[in-house]
Amino acid sequence: MTSLKNLLALAAGAIVGAIVLIAPASAATLTQVTGFGSNPGNLSMYHYKPDGLANGHPVVVLLHGCTQNASGYFTNSGWRKFADQHGFALVVPQTSTANQMLGCFTWYEPGDISRGQGEALSIRNMVGHAISNLGGSASNVYVSGLSAGGAMAAVMLATYPDLFKAGSIAAGIPYKCATSSSGTSACQYSGVEKSPQQWGDLVRNAYTGYSGPYPRVAIWQGTSDGTVVPKNATELVDQWTNLRGVSQTPTSTSSLPSGTSLSVYGNNDVRLYRISNMGHGLPVDPGSAATQCGTAASYFLDTICSAYHDTVFFGLSGGVQPSPTASPTASPTTSPTSAPVCVTSSNYTHTTAGRAYHSLGYTYANGSNQNMGLWNTFQQTTLKQTGPNYWVIGC
């Protein structure tokens, strides 16, 4: 096992206690599910389905950090708000100190990070149960995680690329950076450097029979994170741009609130969010605005609402959902294969529908980052979709 010092450094935060919130209109709650299938990883399954949600809904898997649990992550991360708003279910796996002394997902153990084995298989079976028994859609499954949970999210994207459409990794680590507890320290505190091809090959070898597209990935990293150093974000970009067959040079960069910079690679294949001066944790932004979410707590850091941006990136916010049409070696394209989708609406509506985002009072089209003018209900803009979650002004 990893030394206590290393395990403590990897911890994503203290166990989150019960937090009293104003009761939502919905009566739906996070509920434990048993009998979801074989469970070689000895994990617990929790499920949240908003009231009245029809069958065929998307499913988002949330993976907590060390010393956290399913309930605390569900409460603080902000994902419930968007599940309620946009109609998708949440699957929240939970590990325990019986598995690992600080309750971490073991993102470094070969028996837990291989397809068809251990914790990875347990999480896969939870998703299968949510699809077969709880009304989820097999074609709209996503995963997001923090710290050890972020590293485990990378594991799930690598071992089950046929299941997940896209994913989000916050303060995480590339797949197979370490394959034993003794190797975790180098990954966390120094970062391990490999070529994009080498990183990509580690994922390709995780499922050698797979020939389809790999999931799109969003990466979140605080620039002052001393627990999982920022170099890991760079190596994650190398790994997933290689798998998506796009350049390691961004196609666009932009500034978002709270000192956040966004670099987009390919045709929205990979996103890298860097939050200036943020330490180790999940970005949240408490408040009632459309782009705000979450509760500030230990390792839930009041900066920007990552769940909002991931909901948009996944295509779950009411706009046209992106489809994984790029092959593992394809180059990005902005040419649609059918008649373009054109939408004329207020800049405010474009952001709430997931076609655009706002920063410092102005509105920017997703993908192209073109300035659409002031963010309000009066300014009207016509946007044309030219690729997965890629919009340009005019039609």
Side-chain angles (χ1 to χ4, degrees), residues 173-174 176-178 183-195 199 202 229 231-232 234-236 238:
I173 291 172
K176 277 200 171 180
C177 180
T184 61
S185 180
C187 297
Q188 290 172 230
Y189 305 126
S190 302
V192 173
E193 186 166 353
K194 297 181 186 292
S195 71
W199 282 123
L202 289 173
V229 296
K231 183 174 178 60
N232 284 287
T234 302
E235 301 303 308
L236 278 164
D238 285 351

Side-chain angles (χ1 to χ4, degrees), residues 53-262:
L53 189 59
N55 288 345
H57 54 261
V59 175
V60 177
V61 178
L62 303 180
L63 297 170
H64 65 77
C66 301
T67 75
Q68 295 180 321
N69 58 26
S71 176
Y73 202 80
F74 171 76
T75 298
N76 290 316
S77 65
W79 275 99
R80 178 180 184 172
K81 171 179 178 177
F82 302 108
D84 288 339
Q85 284 184 357
H86 302 301
F88 54 87
L90 302 173
V91 170
V92 194
Q94 179 177 289
T95 186
S96 68
T97 55
N99 286 354
Q100 199 274 351
M101 64 182 299
L102 289 179
C104 308
F105 290 103
T106 52
W107 53 271
Y108 48 84
E109 290 289 352
D112 285 311
I113 65 174
S114 299
R115 184 178 174 90
Q117 297 184 40
E119 292 180 3
L121 180 57
S122 291
I123 296 168
R124 168 64 182 88
N125 288 341
M126 293 179 196
V127 176
H129 183 83
I131 293 168
S132 300
N133 300 88
L134 302 174
S137 167
S139 61
N140 280 299
V141 182
Y142 309 85
V143 63
S144 177
L146 165 65
S147 191
M152 199 67 193
V155 169
M156 298 311 298
L157 294 167
T159 54
Y160 293 99
D162 51 336
L163 175 64
F164 294 99
K165 195 170 183 180
S168 171
I169 301 168
I173 291 172
Y175 177 67
K176 277 200 171 180
C177 180
T179 55
S180 68
S181 60
S182 62
T184 61
S185 180
C187 297
Q188 290 172 230
Y189 305 126
S190 302
V192 173
E193 186 166 353
K194 297 181 186 292
S195 71
Q197 184 68 35
Q198 289 172 323
W199 282 123
D201 285 345
L202 289 173
V203 174
R204 281 181 282 268
N205 290 334
Y207 182 12
T208 56
Y210 184 66
S211 59
Y214 283 91
R216 299 180 307 118
V217 178
I219 299 157
W220 295 84
Q221 181 68 51
T223 63
S224 298
D225 190 337
T227 301
V228 176
V229 296
K231 183 174 178 60
N232 284 287
T234 302
E235 301 303 308
L236 278 164
V237 167
D238 285 351
Q239 187 166 62
W240 289 96
T241 52
N242 179 262
L243 290 162
R244 292 288 296 180
V246 299
S247 171
Q248 283 77 52
T249 300
T251 53
S252 67
T253 58
S254 58
S255 296
L256 300 178
S258 299
T260 304
S261 67
L262 168 62

